[in-house]
Every structure is written in C-alpha cells, then in structure tokens.
Amino acid sequence: MTKKYLDEYGEATLARLNKEGIFPSPYNFAAFNRPSNSEYIIHESTLREGEQTPGVVFSIEDKKRIAEKLDEAGIQQIEAGFPVVSEKQRKGVKALVKMNLNAEIICFSRAKQMDIDAVAETGADGIVVSFSISQYHRKYKFHGMSKEKYLNELVHWVSYAKNYGLFVVFGAEDSTRESDLNFLKKAFKTAEEAGADRARVVDTLGCVRPSGMTYLVREIRNVIDIPIEVHCHNDMGLALANSLAAVEAGATTISASVNGIGERSGIASTEEVITALNVLFGISQFSMSKLTELSKLVENITGVNMAVNKPIIGENACTHGSGIHQHGVFMNPVTYESFHPKLIGRRRRVYIDELCGTHGVLYIAERELGMNISKDTAQKVLSRIKTSYSHGARRSAYTPSELKRLIIEVKGAEVSGTNNS
Ligand code: ZN
C-alpha cells in the first residue's frame, strides 16, 4: 500500500508505531516535520500549578510521593513549588532536592529579588521567572509599565537569576494576549541575550486556538535559538490541542500537570500529553505504563476525582460498551483501539448492559471468567439481560460476577431442559 502523502520519515515513523501495536491516523504524518530535538521535555507542574486547585494543599510527604512517581515515569523536570510563599513551600522544595531524583527540580518565582533569592536558597536546579507581559497585565498589575521598562527589568531579573547558576526559564505570563508581536519577540530575544535557557510561551487564560498558537510559536522561533516551552490553560478544553500545535511549530518542552489540575480549569494533563506525543507523533521517551498509577496517586492525594470519560485515565477510557464495538474488539482489538490499554498500564474492560451483544458476553465469559460457553448459551444469557432492562427496573451494568451467576443459571436450565426432553 503506497501512502503517497507520506515522506520517508513519516512512513518509517508510522511503520514503527504499527509494529509496536499503535494504529493512529496516517494523516498525522503527512507533511510531517521531523522533530528538531531528539528530546522532548515535560516540565511537570502538578506540585506548583496543581496546588493552585482550590482545596488542594500538598503535605511535604505528598510532594515526595508524587515526585517519586513522576521520576519513575521518566519526566525530566519537576516544578516543585513557589518558595517565597511560605516556610512550608521552601521545606517542600528542599525535601525534593534531597531525594536526588533524575528529574531536575525547578521552582516558580515572580520577577522579584525576594522570590529569586528564595528559590536559590532551596538548592533547586532551576527557576521559572514569571513576568507578565500582556498589555492588560502591564497596565493593571504593573501600573502602566512601559515596554522599555519591561525589557530593562527583564534583563535585570534574568541575569540576577542566572548569576545564581540556575537553569532559567523566562515565563512570559499572558503571552498570548500581548498584541504587539514585535515587542513579544523582542522580549524573548532580550531574555535569551540576558542568559535565559528557555522561553516559556504562556496561554494564561486558555484563550488562544491551535492555529493562533502555531503562528505565535513559529514567529518566536524565528528570532530565538533557545528552546521554547508552552504552558497552556484549559479554559476552552484546548490545552492539549494548543500544546500539540506548539510542538508542531517547534516547541520542545510542554508544561503539564497530572490529571490536568491547576488554576480554574487547569492546564494540559501530563498523561494526555505523554500519550499524544507517543501515539500521534511517535515520540516515546517516557514510561507510559506508569501513567495510570501516577494519575490514581494524585487523585487519591488531592481528592479531585476524574470524570469517567476523561481521556486516558478515566474509568471508561479503555471500556467497550456497545455490541458493535464489542464484536469488533472480539474479532481484533485494532478495530476499536488505536493502542492497547496496557501501553498506559490499564486493562481493557467490556461493559455488559442492554446495548451489548453476544460477543460482549462471550468476551467476558472467556477472557475474564475463564468459562467456555457456546454462542447459543451467550444468546440466551443476552436475552435474559435485555429482558431485565425492558421489563425490570434495572439501571446498572452487569458486573462480571453477576454475569457468571447468570451463565451458570442458563447452563443449568439448558441441562435440565435436555433431561426433560
Ligand atoms: Zn498556569
């Protein structure tokens, strides 16, 4: 089969994925830009952005447990806290520094001396110097700060942080609403010249769309050589799409949090970003099988429960409910799964209710209950199931153990039916 729209690299990437049991749309790889950087970095912000979720306060022990799991998943940078805020924040960061993880420990700060000093004192590896850039923030938060003054301050605080020997990320808060593109580009260039190691494009209000993000990141990439990071909020449900749009435009670091928790509707979620990089781009440098336990750990610690239909880690993300889908999966899972659930540390589930078909019953009987039943028996079981919804008041799905009881009952009736005849 010739896929004329794929170049050699796109075709090879798709072939490799297929070999690994991953079957995404081949059109992802049409006019596919070979990644310019062999390493994509997740700048993981559960412990900083995630803690901005109303009601979420991590203990130092919580932070250590989460950091350990992030490290196991192969995440390279952990944004561990905001040290200037409190003694507890500083202690939390110091505790993580002491763990000597593979991941680098990065802290959040404003463009202020007390903030930067507090980060340096923790022994962290790096710092995000967050300095709001949009006209709204400069006018209302910084009392009408001029562009010239902004650039002067930027040089000062980036060099100040750099003098501590820290890895410096210049975070241009509310980047996507600064309407003077030349000023925005000049700011990133200025930060680079002042010693910043990375430029963070921030969609603080989640109000850009993917094509806007692609355009912006391309423009910025044209003027700087340091890597670009994106930090996308999810107010319109576009955090993942915008992050991937930035990757397509050349960004190589994505800021994300487990389960997408954070201020308001949160940010791009770590488990979705990592899975999308692998399945949709062929970038597979993380331990994906750890993602589900990572998500569960954060769910348990924070008490922020995920919706059942949440991508990747939601209760139903690897579950097949309709008879049509169950039939397909029974014949070959590739029909209704673009990747095997075990890739993300999960198991496939088949849901038995009035929408299911005989293949669903056969699937559970054979694969979950270890029972060998005939198609005829499965049909009888199914007919009992459908009756329980049509004539009874049943509202819930059948659990595997209920199904087992039903199969035993039907088989018993078959045997006694044979005896009677
Ligand atoms: Zn944020």
Side-chain angles (χ1 to χ4, degrees), residues 36-53:
S36 55
N37 185 339
S38 61
E39 187 177 66
Y40 282 77
I41 292 172
I42 301 292
H43 180 95
E44 224 292 339
S45 196
T46 305
L47 302 181
R48 196 279 299 172
E49 176 80 48
E51 205 168 27
Q52 290 177 219
T53 308

Side-chain angles (χ1 to χ4, degrees), residues 48-49 52 202 204 231 233 263 267:
R48 196 279 299 172
E49 176 80 48
Q52 290 177 219
V202 187
T204 303
H231 179 89
H233 274 263
E263 190 83 25
I267 60 172

Side-chain angles (χ1 to χ4, degrees), residues 266-400:
I267 60 172
S269 80
T270 300
E271 61 282 2
E272 290 177 24
V273 169
I274 288 179
T275 307
L277 284 178
N278 189 352
V279 174
L280 309 180
F281 289 79
I283 298 164
S284 54
Q285 58 197 56
F286 303 95
S287 302
M288 291 183 56
S289 59
K290 302 278 179 196
L291 294 177
T292 303
E293 51 186 287
L294 179 60
S295 161
K296 285 280 168 234
L297 175 70
V298 171
E299 206 173 7
N300 289 337
I301 287 176
T302 59
V304 178
N305 297 321
M306 293 296 103
V308 291
N309 61 345
K310 163 88 169 57
I312 315 300
I313 48 82
E315 192 59 30
N316 293 345
C318 299
T319 302
H320 302 284
S322 96
I324 298 170
H325 289 222
Q326 289 170 355
H327 176 229
V329 168
F330 193 75
M331 301 314 283
N332 190 326
V334 74
T335 52
Y336 286 98
E337 288 172 1
S338 65
F339 58 88
H340 196 289
K342 73 178 178 207
L343 189 71
I344 48 171
R346 298 198 63 170
R347 283 186 67 210
R348 174 184 307 124
R349 283 174 59 224
V350 169
Y351 211 77
I352 300 294
D353 62 17
E354 67 170 339
L355 295 181
C356 94
T358 45
H359 284 94
V361 175
L362 285 166
Y363 186 93
I364 303 250
E366 280 178 24
R367 319 245 172 130
E368 303 238 345
L369 303 171
M371 298 170 92
N372 249 326
I373 60 168
S374 68
K375 211 171 167 195
D376 186 48
T377 306
Q379 263 159 2
K380 285 181 191 152
V381 169
L382 183 67
S383 137
R384 292 245 203 144
I385 290 170
K386 298 213 176 209
T387 308
S388 75
Y389 289 99
S390 304
H391 302 305
R394 186 163 179 121
R395 302 282 294 270
S396 61
Y398 280 75
T399 62

